[in-house]
Amino acid sequence: MAPIKYKALINVDLGEGYGNLKCGPDEEILPLIDIANVACGFHSGDPLIMASTVRACKARDILIGAHPGLPDLQGFGRREMKLSPEELTAITIYQVGALKGFLDAEGVKLNHVKPHGVLYGMMCRDLEVAKAVMRGVPSGVPVFGLAGTKMEEAAKEEGVEFWAEMYGDVKYSPDGMLVID
């Protein structure tokens, strides 16, 4: 067999708890992953969880990205909301900035941005939503997303580097779109 030319990188959503609520086996998963998407407070994740998640990832040389979502704690960022383009840009800047503060405190670079939940789905379908979110991404920081969607188109139009990803643990519709339950 020929040597492996490219390694498939595994990225996982982490820090998705709030206060005393722990969501997911973050500590157990860390040895298995390459990249972490850290919740930034609007769908989940609070300052202490963000700080501890950044420290845990740093200790294991895991690349860290921001995982911004819609302002929907009760619905875990899975309920669609109608926000203006200005609001979408602002909530992205706000959440990425929150995580960046913790990354800077630990001397760690922001690796990427990966939108969460229904915001991700909205960006796949709606070019204006996707462009508004892209405008909130810091210059030089790539966005993870679904290839062949409005999200990829918006990244190109806004000059944002785009890294296509696929999911091994979710459903896809017949047209190749994610089904977010």
Side-chain angles (χ1 to χ4, degrees):
M1 172 163 48
I4 295 173
K5 188 172 182 180
Y6 300 103
K7 177 186 178 197
L9 301 175
I10 297 178
N11 82 79
V12 174
D13 303 344
L14 295 179
E16 292 186 317
Y18 212 87
N20 292 331
L21 171 69
K22 183 178 178 190
C23 182
D26 289 10
E27 286 295 322
E28 294 86 351
I29 282 177
L30 287 172
L32 308 173
I33 69 172
D34 304 291
I35 302 169
N37 314 304
V38 178
C40 299
F42 275 26
H43 76 278
S44 195
D46 66 27
L48 293 176
I49 289 174
M50 291 170 70
S52 66
T53 303
V54 166
R55 284 192 302 274
C57 289
K58 178 184 177 181
R60 292 165 183 83
D61 294 321
I62 295 169
L63 300 173
I64 304 169
H67 196 42
L70 293 177
D72 178 27
L73 280 176
Q74 290 77 14
F76 193 61
R78 300 222 181 264
R79 297 182 293 189
E80 194 160 319
M81 300 173 152
K82 183 73 175 165
L83 300 176
S84 71
E86 295 79 16
E87 288 173 305
L88 290 164
T89 301
I91 68 169
T92 304
I93 292 168
Y94 185 93
Q95 292 177 84
V96 172
L99 180 65
K100 190 146 176 11
F102 293 107
L103 292 170
D104 290 349
E106 292 293 329
V108 176
K109 174 182 162 254
L110 175 65
N111 185 69
H112 66 282
V113 172
K114 179 185 173 179
H116 169 79
V118 77
L119 179 59
Y120 188 106
M122 290 165 62
M123 291 175 69
C124 287
R125 296 185 308 272
D126 187 319
L127 183 61
E128 294 310 310
V129 167
K131 286 168 61 174
V133 172
M134 294 297 173
R135 286 194 222 50
V137 174
S139 178
V141 175
V143 169
F144 288 9
L146 189 61
T149 64
K150 299 296 182 187
M151 189 188 303
E152 183 175 23
E153 184 180 336
K156 184 176 182 180
E157 286 186 23
E158 295 294 323
V160 175
E161 185 179 354
F162 185 81
W163 293 3
E165 65 174 356
M166 56 96 38
Y167 289 81
D169 64 342
V170 297
K171 296 180 275 186
Y172 286 88
S173 67
D175 64 353
M177 295 299 289
L178 291 175
V179 176
I180 300 175
D181 297 325

